[in-house]
Structure formats: C-alpha cells, structure tokens
Amino acid sequence: MVRFLKMAAVLALGLGTQSLAEQQKVVAESAAQDCVILLHGLARSESSFVLMELALERYGYKVVRLGYPSTKEEIETLADMTLPKAVAQCGWTKVHFVTHSMGGILTRVWFENHRPPELGRVVMLGPPNKGSELVDEFSYLEPFVWLNGPAGMQLGTDGLPANLPPVDFELGVIAGDKSLNPYYSSLIAGPDDGKVSVESTKVEGMADHIVLPVTHTFMMNNPMVIVQVREFLETGAFDHDMEWGDADATLRELQRIVDVDGDPEAEQDDDLWDRMWREIVGPSASDQNGADGQ
C-alpha cells in the first residue's frame, strides 16, 4: 500500500514523462526514513528527549519529539490528543516509539484502538506497567495530587496500567535499578530506579527486558540506554552482553554520532559531554563572552 502511494505521488508530480530509470531514482530518493516518536513522562517535557533525538537522527531515523500537558488531563485524553498528531508528523513510513515512564502507558492505551499503518518497534524506559507504589502511598496528599494531576492519579498499583491487556506488539523494556531517593525506594518493593520498581516495568507479551544501573528521571540521557534503544529498534532485542565496562566503547560510538564530519570548527579533543550539553541548551553566557565560569 505504501509503495503504491509513493508511486502515485510520483505520477501526481508529473514524472510520468520521465524514463523508468529516472522515475525509480526519484522514488528511491523520496523513500521516507523510519520514524521514531519520542514520548516523555509525567511532569516532564519534550526537552527531556533532546539528546535521544540527536542520537537517533545521527543513526539515520526521522524523529518526532512532541510534548503534551501531562498533568492536566487523564491518560486516555492525553493519548488521543497527542499520538495521532505525532504519527501524522511521521508520514507514510514505518513508525517506532520510544517512551519514558507514563509515556509508555499512553502508548499502550492508544494502541488498544489505534495503530500506525506501519507499526515498527517500541522501547519503553522505566514504564509503570504494573503501577506505582508511590501513587498508592501519597494519593491522599493534596500537593501530590496537584503536582501529578489526573493522569498521575491513574498510576496506582490497582489503577489503569493494571487493567490494560498484555501487549501484542514488538516491545523492549529498559528498567533502572539505581535510586537517588532512598525514602521513595523504601516504599517500593524490590530493586527500583527511585520511582518505579524493576518488577513493575515488566508486562506480559514483551519481547525483551533489560535492567541497567540508571535512575528514573534521567535514564533517557544515559549513553548505554541510548545504544540499547538503537539495538532494539534495529534488531528487536537488546545486547545483554554489553556490560557497563563497555561504556568506553559506547562513549566512542556516541562521539562519532555527535561529531559533525567536515566541520572545521569542531575540536577533536572536545569533551563529549560538553559537546552534548551544548547541543541541548546552546552556548552558555560564558561561552558567548569568552570567559571562564561555572
């Protein structure tokens, strides 16, 4: 169907008078890249995925990074107002999803009744697929309810996620087991990332699951996570033999995708993370003024 539409587009552009070889060249050049939709989590914004977007674009994907008012509406409403627009921005191509936290639940809810014409693979980072004990513990506190909104209140262990069916699409899940909040972790059973337990990230029907030493809030910026995301998008499985001791190779991989070929101003000895940070926030005031500073 997609191939037919591409050919129809070629004819609509008046290319029917060209030679067959010329037409085939135009079709090949217009063939869309696979598209990846990045969907952030509760009380975050699309800017949390800037580094992932940069990496995936350098890996050759078209990327759609769309924000949504995560604390203003219930999950079903958020899914219906966000995902159709994101899929439309991808166009007629294979569509993959990479989600963080509640973004994975939005995706599961929307997939119950909708699918892109060409659904690719899905990677969920720290998804509360079995809900969150933190919502159970704090849902009676007015400030907690105000901060997390209607959607957040749906994420209890007996809430919306627990009532969703098993997944029937190609899904890989990345969980974290490092926490920056000992108090939160004391309320969560088993290993956790400070917000979601490793056990809660699992869901029946997933194709693969991996646990990495990362925390919930910033896992999408971790180089090992980024490389494992690419691995699943390309192969349908994570590289379980990639150990944290391989981080040096991972950093070199990211250095290659961050470097701009042929840029005469790119310094080869630039610190990788300084380069990435400048990609995210732009030049700092101290950079612009040529002065040293913190």
Side-chain angles (χ1 to χ4, degrees):
M1 180 65 178
V2 173
R3 182 177 299 173
F4 170 79
L5 290 170
K6 288 176 181 175
M7 289 299 299
V10 169
L11 294 174
L13 289 172
L15 299 178
T17 58
Q18 295 180 347
S19 69
L20 178 60
E22 289 173 330
Q23 291 181 29
Q24 289 174 337
K25 180 180 179 181
V26 171
V27 171
E29 289 177 348
S30 66
Q33 303 163 284
D34 279 12
C35 185
V36 180
I37 293 173
L38 302 178
L39 199 62
H40 66 81
L42 179 65
R44 300 299 303 278
S45 75
E46 64 271 28
S47 63
S48 63
F49 264 121
V50 168
L51 182 54
M52 182 75 74
E53 177 185 42
L54 170 67
L56 291 175
E57 284 180 343
R58 300 297 170 87
Y59 284 139
Y61 292 98
K62 176 182 178 180
V63 179
V64 172
R65 179 170 53 91
L66 200 63
Y68 63 96
S70 61
T71 62
K72 302 300 184 183
E73 303 286 350
E74 292 189 339
I75 288 173
E76 298 88 343
T77 301
L78 294 171
D80 287 338
M81 67 189 292
T82 305
L83 288 169
K85 290 191 295 184
V87 171
Q89 288 185 32
C90 281
W92 291 96
T93 186
K94 181 174 289 186
V95 180
H96 309 279
F97 291 77
V98 178
T99 69
H100 178 234
S101 195
M102 190 180 77
I105 307 305
L106 262 70
T107 302
R108 289 182 64 192
V109 166
W110 194 69
F111 278 3
E112 285 194 273
N113 298 305
H114 311 86
R115 298 288 169 95
E118 283 197 73
L119 176 61
R121 297 182 172 119
V122 180
V123 180
M124 294 182 181
L125 313 178
N129 280 318
K130 296 178 182 175
S132 169
E133 292 93 336
L134 298 183
V135 177
D136 297 345
E137 187 71 23
F138 297 123
S139 60
Y140 71 95
L141 295 175
E142 188 172 336
F144 185 84
V145 175
W146 180 79
L147 286 170
N148 293 283
M153 294 306 97
Q154 293 179 280
L155 296 177
T157 56
D158 60 350
L160 175 63
N163 294 295
L164 292 173
V167 300
D168 58 354
F169 49 89
E170 201 168 357
L171 170 66
V173 175
I174 299 178
D177 65 358
K178 296 298 180 184
S179 173
L180 297 177
N181 194 317
Y183 177 59
Y184 278 3
S185 293
S186 71
L187 304 173
I188 300 172
D192 67 271
D193 61 11
K195 296 286 184 70
V196 177
S197 70
V198 170
E199 182 60 30
S200 182
T201 65
K202 300 175 181 178
V203 62
E204 184 180 349
M206 61 184 177
D208 203 353
H209 184 276
I210 192 170
V211 181
L212 298 176
V214 294
T215 62
H216 187 81
T217 304
F218 301 110
M219 63 170 59
M220 74 291 291
N221 295 323
N222 184 280
M224 191 71 76
V225 169
I226 291 172
V227 172
Q228 291 287 8
V229 165
R230 186 193 66 162
E231 190 73 21
F232 190 87
L233 292 181
E234 293 189 351
T235 70
F238 297 120
D239 183 354
H240 291 265
D241 294 327
M242 183 184 293
E243 300 178 356
W244 197 247
D246 298 326
D248 182 57
T250 303
L251 289 173
R252 288 199 300 273
E253 173 99 16
L254 286 176
Q255 180 72 67
R256 285 194 293 272
I257 64 173
V258 170
D259 279 341
V260 179
D261 291 339
D263 181 359
E265 298 180 359
E267 298 181 14
Q268 295 303 310
D269 58 350
D270 254 357
D271 178 79
L272 173 65
W273 299 110
D274 284 347
R275 296 280 310 280
M276 288 182 170
W277 187 246
R278 287 200 296 272
E279 292 279 2
I280 295 172
V281 302
S284 66
S286 60
D287 289 336
Q288 292 171 353
N289 296 331
D292 293 333
Q294 298 297 320

